[in-house]
Amino acid sequence: MKSNHWIEFVTLFIYNKVFFSFLFFIISFHTSYSQQIEKVDFIDVKATVQPIFAEKKVKATASYTFKILKKCDSIYLDAPNIYLLNTKNFNSQIKIVSKNKKIWLFADFKVNKTYKICFSYEAIPKKALYFFKNQIWTQGQGKYTSNWLPSINDMNDKIEFNISYIIPSEKKIVANGILKSVTKNEKFSTWEYKMTKPISSYLVAFAVGDFSKKIIKSKTNTLIELYYPTNDSLHFEPTYRFSGEIFNFLESEIGFKYPWVNYKQVPLHDFMYAGMENTTATFFSDNFIVDSTGFNDRNYINVNAHELAHQWFGNLVTEKSGSDHWLHEGFASYYALLAEKEIFGEDNYYWKLYQSSEQLRSLSEEGKGEALNDPGASSITFYEKGAWALHILREKVGDEVFKKGIKNYLFKYQFQNVKIKDFLIEIELVYGMNLNDFENDWINQTKFQYEQVYKSLMKSKFMRDYLNLLSLRPRSISSKTFDFEKALSSSNVFLGQEVVYQLQNESISQTLPFYKKAFQTNNIHIRQAIAMSMNKIPTELKTDYESLLDDKSYLTQEIALGNLCANFYGDRLSYLNKIDTVIGFRDKNIRQVWLFMALITEDYKQEKKDLYANELKQYSSSIYGYAVREKAFEFIDYLSLWDHETIYNLINASQHHYWRFRASSREILNKLLKIDTYKKQIILLSDTMDDKNQSFLSKLMKEN
Ligand SMILES: [Zn+2]
């Protein structure tokens, strides 16, 4: 079924304020214990890396220091699509050869001896390094840093990376570690970054762009650099709201000082995950850039805390293999929940736990439960079940034991790799008893332990009230008047929302007073529940419903505009006039829906129709983020606004690095290829395109 995209957004939003949390990916690692790790320990890398915008490639010189652990005659660095240019050895005994996606080092290597090599190379990365008009950024996890910097795909070899970057002088760069120096020249500048501690290769990262920054200091004097697009300073505060609080909270909650020299965060164009915890330099999707209104629906807080928690859980102490992935994602998700609890309160914490428990319970009942030590488990297992496991463990052993155990674990295994068992042993040592039951129920078991979960949820008064209210769903409105009154008078938004959902599809004569009261709570989330659940607007509620257009929520405004125009046909012009200057979220949700409505409303501003159509078409261009473009394509398709330029943009989008966007674009392109007139246009256009686009299109046409 093809539905308007914004309606899909609605269903996603309905239970989840942080929309983008679903973007977290299943990134599991099947790290095999290669022979390599037993033979050699890479100690440090010193490199000078120059990314070249125009050619989408990297030129670099890198030197490596390594210690031989076992006598051998060859070792390697992972290096796909990397071409050796020059090999000037410190040790002429070592032969350097590029073969089979690796750089091989051949010599008669002696145990306990330290060696050094140096070479220059060119890399044309197919992934892990992405070039855009104004930005370049990397993504190491799941993609492999070795695509642009010869390194080790295995997380078990931690290396000290000291990298200098040569970039155009008008740009800024964010990278791991501390910025030692910047040498400016007219065209290019060299930025020297330094790490003082070893990290796994997947955590090496850099991002080049037009950034500005503000610096704050944590209670323990760590410098926190918050970057933003230079032309977007107005959104700085709501985007980074609570960043200092989150940092201070996590540091004191974890009880172990932030382990790195500094912390940086930077929002990036077309970043394909919600966030990535590169050591000292978290990258996140610029879809999280919001103003104060957008903050209410889609804020960065959960991702902010999640990526920061990884700086301890994942970056400082790293899994040995994919079976230990809980130690990364479960921990980051759990500590993000705790940070949100600190900001939004305990009810919010239980609400989120409850929601994930419902999902996990139904998966488990369908026989789709997964064990936390299954390296192939899905993201819901690693993230949500993982967080639940820690919540249950903490209840079992108590706050004090839990916190002491966490501290000991981090202290003992810092800068090392661990297994789940190593963590459990540290808790057991403080607890004084074994955790066999916990391990069986929560780590080894595929079944979700709902009885334990239910017992835990029942400790919250809010959850007891909520589940009680939920149990009233089948009953008549008249029999639950008292409960509804009470819920709508409470300060808890989730209870109010539940009342609103129970009013759905009931007769207006019975529900009117409750709807009135729900509107009057002036709580944007309760009012949003009305916007989401009411399709047919009774005339008695017309004025109240119209007031939703003024709510500080772009989601509410978007739904309300659509519903009002559909319900009160005669008033469409005034609704359109009311929000004709609102843009909405980063994906321009309101503006695009508005343009769409303005175009389909025949008697609305005839003289400006071309202007509106052109604006909508423009949003399909690659200068905009994928979220803007995805919406634009839907509307363009719906309105059949296809022309050379928009089709070109669609072909380009169908090869995008972000698979979700690529898939939705391809679906539309495939559809167009089945329509003769468009097919002809596409073939014509194909003649004017470069080889890469042409071969993509000819392949696609064969499939169709
Ligand atoms: Zn994570």
Side-chain angles (χ1 to χ4, degrees), residues 24 141 275 277 306-307 310 328-329 332-333 383:
F24 281 127
Q141 190 170 28
E277 70 274 17
H306 179 107
E307 307 309 337
H310 272 311
H328 290 199
E329 296 309 339
S333 303
Y383 290 80

Side-chain angles (χ1 to χ4, degrees), residues 324-428:
D324 310 304
H325 203 43
W326 173 55
L327 301 173
H328 290 199
E329 296 309 339
F331 282 58
S333 303
Y334 174 69
Y335 280 98
L337 278 180
L338 293 184
E340 284 188 305
K341 179 167 138 188
E342 184 71 8
I343 295 164
F344 298 120
E346 192 175 88
D347 290 356
N348 190 285
Y349 174 74
Y350 275 99
W351 176 247
K352 284 204 143 186
L353 281 176
Y354 165 70
Q355 286 177 276
S356 70
S357 76
E358 286 297 293
Q359 276 179 292
L360 288 162
R361 177 166 73 148
S362 72
L363 282 173
S364 178
E365 282 169 359
E366 290 165 29
K368 292 179 188 159
E370 294 167 330
L372 271 172
N373 60 4
D374 173 0
S378 60
S379 53
I380 184 167
T381 297
F382 286 130
Y383 290 80
E384 311 298 346
K385 190 178 181 181
W388 256 110
L390 284 167
H391 171 83
I392 292 285
L393 177 63
R394 188 181 188 142
E395 280 193 344
K396 184 182 175 78
V397 301
D399 280 352
E400 210 177 306
V401 170
F402 184 83
K403 289 179 86 160
K404 184 96 202 321
I406 289 279
K407 212 168 147 175
N408 292 351
Y409 162 72
L410 289 170
F411 186 77
K412 182 165 176 184
Y413 292 107
Q414 54 184 320
F415 308 110
Q416 295 178 44
N417 294 75
V418 279
K419 298 197 72 62
I420 287 178
K421 196 75 193 168
D422 299 325
F423 167 71
L424 293 178
I425 288 171
E426 287 311 306
I427 303 287
E428 280 172 341

Side-chain angles (χ1 to χ4, degrees), residues 128-173:
L129 176 58
Y130 302 88
F131 292 84
F132 304 89
K133 195 163 169 276
N134 294 312
Q135 285 186 6
I136 304 174
W137 48 256
T138 61
Q139 168 60 30
Q141 190 170 28
K143 307 287 178 195
Y144 297 127
T145 298
S146 56
N147 279 279
W148 60 273
L149 177 70
S151 49
I152 305 296
N153 289 352
D154 189 329
M155 289 193 224
N156 288 278
D157 196 351
K158 295 197 176 191
I159 306 170
E160 198 185 297
F161 289 90
N162 296 301
I163 306 180
S164 293
Y165 296 91
I166 301 171
I167 59 162
S169 288
E170 73 278 11
K171 298 277 180 200
K172 300 273 167 51
I173 179 164

Side-chain angles (χ1 to χ4, degrees), residues 452-464:
Q452 293 178 37
V453 163
Y454 183 78
K455 245 191 209 163
S456 172
L457 289 173
M458 284 303 102
K459 289 179 183 160
S460 150
K461 178 179 181 305
F462 150 62
M463 276 318 308
R464 293 196 297 275

